[in-house]
């Protein structure tokens, strides 16, 4: 009888140790999945616009504009602008990164949006793109007066899905 009690005590102890390990594993897994889902929900929204802009001395400027909305603070508004001058030998590629600000109103559309790239730099270093509120999937390269460039050539980039 005494041997049976000792065996039962040992079995209970082993069982409870294994149970504790399983609880730790489950708890860790729950914590990890919460972290992952939290990270996904706070991930910055990115809009990617692409297109081929006109070029005076090449076959076109392949352009990719990435707008990172961030968490809503000015510091988190980031952009990346990639340009490749096609038809040049060698093709010239440029990358510009910085912060942006937005302004309301594009030409006659009071709800349009203008992206002011490098807004925290001198005006000669700022780049302007804008879209009409009715068509946010097409962003236009703007001139220094923040107006759409009037031309038969294509100065628009399209939102990539």
């Amino acid at each position: 009888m005494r041997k049976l009690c000792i065996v039962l005590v040992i079995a209970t102890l082993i069982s409870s140790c294994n149970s504790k390990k399983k609880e730790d594993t489950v708890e860790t897994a729950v914590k990890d999945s919460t972290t992952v889902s939290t990270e996904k929900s706070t991930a910055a929204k990115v809009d990617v616009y692409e297109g081929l802009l006109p070029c005076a001395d090449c076959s076109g400027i392949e352009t990719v504009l990435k707008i990172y909305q961030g968490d809503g603070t000015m510091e988190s508004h980031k952009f990346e602008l990639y340009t490749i001058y096609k038809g040049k030998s060698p093709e010239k590629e440029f990358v510009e990164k910085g912060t942006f600000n937005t302004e309301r109103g594009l030409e006659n559309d009071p709800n349009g949006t203008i992206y002011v790239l490098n807004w925290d730099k001198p005006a000669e270093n700022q780049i302007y793109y804008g879209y009409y509120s009715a068509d946010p999937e097409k962003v236009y390269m703007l001139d220094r007066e923040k107006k759409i460039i009037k031309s038969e050539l294509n100065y628009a980039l399209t939102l990539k899905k």
Side-chain angles (χ1 to χ4, degrees), residues 103-158:
E103 295 179 3
R104 281 285 164 230
L106 177 62
E107 297 186 346
N108 294 329
D109 181 0
N111 294 317
T113 298
I114 296 174
Y115 292 118
V116 181
L117 310 183
N118 293 323
W119 70 276
D120 53 346
K121 297 199 168 125
E124 61 269 8
N125 296 333
Q126 294 178 359
I127 304 165
Y128 309 107
Y129 283 89
Y131 64 84
Y132 292 114
S133 60
D135 189 11
E137 294 189 5
K138 187 177 279 192
V139 67
Y140 297 91
M141 183 178 204
L142 307 178
D143 63 18
R144 290 280 164 212
E145 286 77 42
K146 301 177 188 170
K147 304 285 184 204
I148 292 177
I149 298 169
K150 304 296 182 201
S151 171
E152 291 183 18
L153 302 174
N154 179 32
Y155 284 93
L157 305 175
T158 306

Side-chain angles (χ1 to χ4, degrees), residues 8 12-13 26 45 64 89 101 108 118 120 127 129 136 156:
L8 285 174
T12 304
L13 288 172
V26 170
K45 180 180 182 277
V64 176
S89 184
N101 193 3
N108 294 329
N118 293 323
D120 53 346
I127 304 165
Y129 283 89

Side-chain angles (χ1 to χ4, degrees), residues 46-83:
V46 181
D47 290 329
V48 180
Y49 296 92
E50 297 179 344
L52 189 66
L53 299 178
C55 178
D57 62 348
C58 67
S59 60
I61 305 170
E62 186 177 311
T63 305
V64 176
L65 173 61
K66 294 182 179 182
I67 299 288
Y68 297 89
Q69 299 296 341
D71 61 8
T73 61
M74 291 304 299
E75 297 80 26
S76 69
H77 286 178
K78 305 284 184 192
F79 78 90
E80 295 175 11
L81 181 63
Y82 300 90
T83 53

